[in-house]
Amino acid sequence: MAVITRPVAEDLRTLMRGAVHLRGEAGYAAEVEGFNLLSPTRPDLVVVPEDEADVQAAVRWAAAHAQTVHPQLTGHGAYRALEHGMLLKTSRLTHLRVDADRASWTMGAGLRWMDILPELHRHGLGAVTGSARTVGAVGLILGGGIGPLGLTLGMASDWARAFRVVDGRGDVLVASPTENTDLFWALRGGKVGLGVVTEMTVAAPRTPFVYGGGLFYGAADIHRVTHAWLDWVRDIPDSVNTSIAILRLPPEVPVIGGSAVLHVRYAYVEPGASTDELAEGGEALLAGWRELAGPTILDTVGVLPSDRLGEIHSEPEGPIPVWEWGDFLEDIDHDFIDTLLSHVGAAREAPLATVEIRLQGGAIVREPAVPSAVGGKAQPFTLLVLGMPSDELAPWEVVEAAGHAIRDDVAGYSGAQINYNWANHPSSDTFRTRLWSQEASDRLRNVRAAVDPDGVFEHGN
Ligand SMILES: Cc1cc2nc3c(=O)[nH]c(=O)nc-3n(C[C@H](O)[C@H](O)[C@H](O)COP(=O)(O)OP(=O)(O)OC[C@H]3O[C@@H](n4cnc5c(N)ncnc54)[C@H](O)[C@@H]3O)c2cc1C
């Protein structure tokens, strides 16, 4: 790869309105910092385009100077060192147009869910998001996007209607159900090596409110309530969305900090329902659970406006140090729960902040009207193990050893596929064999070769 010197970078500055920072220059450090403080991001240069024409100029310049291009917004997906090439930050592509009549929105690639949701709510709409409001909408949808309303409304990517993409030659392509249809299929789940998305149009459900939140159970109840959840989810309708997480939060967090707690997430979704109807329907379906699980130490369930969907999971907002491992599972049983609790149950001093199980199924499994490349839909449960290493409390090695011990003990439950958004930076083996079916993998390879024949968008696999 060619070395980028100051005079060479000056040439790029004359071609772009946006910012260009070489490693070591003022402005570089602020632009390369992302969500995960433990993920070294030190590319040769970072560019921050002002608009789509800037993205084209940056990609063409990178191709001409043998630089790889790495599109990024928040760094939520950065789990591997990036020490070369061009980091292309989309953070200034921030336009947003909501079409309330058509129930859709068109957005620049620089928006996170938290930037979009208030506007949608104001127009009487909701969105199919992931769990964290700080994640970028494009990054999530490129992987599929499994979120707190998924069992009712499907994958976030099922709602995508069109993309504008700058390809490896610097040309703009529109991908939709009628244009560049292979690319449209690939951009919903194929995740990497597909160009830089500059703009996306997404349909919005008419769900300005849901009925949801979190039910927290104290350490003494974790064992009983976790087992009860596994029984309860066998028999819930698709209007109910739920997941659980064993959390270990710092003592300064009121009520739920200082010891292990179980967080049961709940969302009842009924498009078009009034807030009264949501409360009535949502409570009716929760009644059986409340009886089964008993008293909570904190209950935040209620009518929730769509701009507060992030409160269902209440993910950490970062930047934070993160060690993470996830998998998609075949059906789990009570032995699985016991195994997991032998690592992170109340009796253990586990150095892991979150161990989460999500229920899949419902609308997640259904193929959208226009099929997509999303993998991992058929696995009925997901598992995520997350630690926040710190030199004083739990060094990286300790967190990693605890995470790997879980990974090894539950390996027998590992599913045939895993979705890209759970795989972080997948190994070559995972990339080839577990993210998609063989047929989808072959088709994606062809789409990537057509969009980026010279391999400008390096994706590590
Ligand atoms: C706290 C947390 C919660 C999460 N919750 C969920 C969840 O509930 N459901 C779920 O499905 N996933 C979830 N994820 C995973 C997340 O969806 C992915 O990591 C996603 O890629 C993040 O997108 P980003 O733009 O915020 O991150 P970035 O790190 O900025 O981007 C990640 C990758 O997306 C691609 N990308 C981003 N923008 C563009 C663009 N404009 N053009 C082309 N490629 C682009 C690039 O390959 C980039 O490396 C979560 C991650 C974290 C850290």
Side-chain angles (χ1 to χ4, degrees):
M1 196 172 298
V3 175
I4 301 301
T5 58
R6 253 165 234 273
V8 176
E10 280 315 317
D11 168 39
L12 177 58
R13 288 194 175 102
T14 64
L15 300 170
M16 287 180 60
R17 291 199 300 128
V20 177
H21 305 291
L22 288 188
R23 191 189 293 136
E25 286 182 346
Y28 175 93
E31 290 296 352
V32 300
E33 183 182 278
F35 172 78
N36 189 354
L37 293 175
L38 295 183
S39 198
T41 304
R42 286 189 293 270
D44 289 310
L45 75 166
V46 54
V47 300
V48 196
E50 288 289 342
D51 53 22
E52 188 176 79
D54 266 5
V55 176
Q56 291 181 270
V59 169
R60 285 186 179 134
W61 182 92
H65 291 83
Q67 294 295 309
T68 52
V69 176
H70 307 264
Q72 191 187 81
L73 175 58
T74 68
H76 275 79
Y79 284 91
R80 182 173 54 185
L82 174 62
E83 313 256 3
H84 64 272
M86 172 193 280
L87 185 70
L88 190 151
K89 297 288 274 196
T90 58
S91 51
R92 295 188 191 171
L93 308 178
T94 53
H95 58 279
L96 176 62
R97 293 186 300 276
V98 177
D99 184 335
D101 293 337
R102 291 205 175 121
S104 72
W105 80 91
T106 296
M107 55 168 279
L111 297 181
R112 303 156 299 172
W113 291 106
M114 63 192 285
D115 307 315
I116 302 158
L117 288 170
E119 261 316 273
L120 291 175
H121 179 68
R122 213 167 60 75
H123 286 87
L125 300 169
V128 182
T129 69
S131 57
R133 62 188 202 128
T134 48
V135 162
V138 168
L140 180 107
I141 281 181
L142 285 172
I146 299 156
L149 313 184
L151 276 88
T152 314
L153 299 174
M155 292 269 179
S157 61
D158 295 351
W159 295 75
R161 296 292 178 264
F163 299 87
R164 287 179 70 86
V165 177
V166 172
D167 71 10
R169 303 171 197 85
D171 294 336
V172 176
L173 303 174
V174 174
S176 74
T178 53
E179 285 172 275
N180 293 303
T181 50
D182 263 7
L183 180 58
F184 183 62
W185 167 82
L187 287 164
R188 293 165 301 139
K191 187 82 182 198
V192 288
L194 298 165
V196 184
V197 174
T198 55
E199 185 181 277
M200 173 171 83
T201 299
V202 187
R206 297 205 183 270
T207 53
F209 296 91
V210 301
Y211 189 76
L215 299 152
F216 294 85
Y217 300 87
D221 291 325
I222 289 178
H223 185 271
R224 183 181 56 78
V225 179
T226 306
H227 280 284
W229 181 83
L230 187 59
D231 293 332
W232 180 63
V233 299
R234 300 290 175 203
D235 203 21
I236 50 174
D238 290 355
S239 52
V240 168
N241 299 261
T242 183
S243 64
I244 53 172
I246 297 160
L247 306 178
R248 283 179 163 79
L249 303 175
E252 52 274 20
V253 179
V255 186
I256 54 173
S259 69
V261 296
L262 179 69
H263 181 192
V264 177
R265 292 79 168 258
Y266 178 79
Y268 169 74
V269 185
E270 198 186 333
S274 68
T275 51
D276 284 349
E277 287 164 346
L278 280 171
E280 198 181 318
E283 258 320 304
L285 285 167
L286 199 52
W289 169 255
R290 289 192 188 285
E291 203 177 322
L292 201 61
T296 58
I297 55 169
L298 179 66
D299 180 347
T300 68
V301 174
V303 173
L304 198 63
S306 55
D307 55 343
R308 288 172 46 202
L309 285 176
E311 292 176 25
I312 296 171
H313 283 243
S314 293
E315 302 277 5
E317 305 223 315
I320 49 171
V322 176
W323 182 92
E324 195 183 284
W325 169 77
D327 204 358
F328 272 39
L329 309 174
E330 298 302 346
D331 205 5
I332 58 173
D333 53 19
H334 290 284
D335 286 345
F336 172 89
I337 300 289
D338 281 336
T339 304
L340 202 62
L341 293 180
S342 73
H343 292 274
V344 293
R348 296 293 305 265
E349 286 289 319
L352 297 165
T354 306
V355 173
E356 176 199 79
I357 306 171
R358 293 191 191 182
L359 174 68
Q360 297 217 95
I364 288 176
V365 184
R366 275 175 233 142
E367 193 66 67
V370 181
S372 73
V374 174
K377 288 157 73 111
Q379 267 60 63
F381 292 93
T382 73
L383 176 64
L384 187 80
V385 176
L386 184 148
M388 295 193 227
S390 81
D391 288 343
E392 306 79 49
L393 298 174
W396 172 275
E397 302 72 39
V398 172
V399 172
E400 186 176 59
H404 282 172
I406 295 178
R407 182 194 64 186
D408 295 346
D409 271 5
V410 302
Y413 293 88
S414 199
Q417 282 187 8
I418 177 172
N419 179 269
Y420 203 117
N421 284 353
W422 258 246
N424 300 334
H425 278 291
S427 66
S428 301
D429 195 38
T430 300
F431 193 88
R432 273 188 295 103
T433 62
R434 282 197 72 206
L435 292 172
W436 304 281
S437 68
Q438 189 59 53
E439 190 189 350
S441 216
D442 292 344
R443 188 172 168 193
L444 279 169
R445 191 175 320 110
N446 292 336
V447 179
R448 289 191 186 106
V451 170
D452 183 23
D454 299 324
V456 175
F457 300 107
E458 185 194 62
H459 52 80
N461 284 286

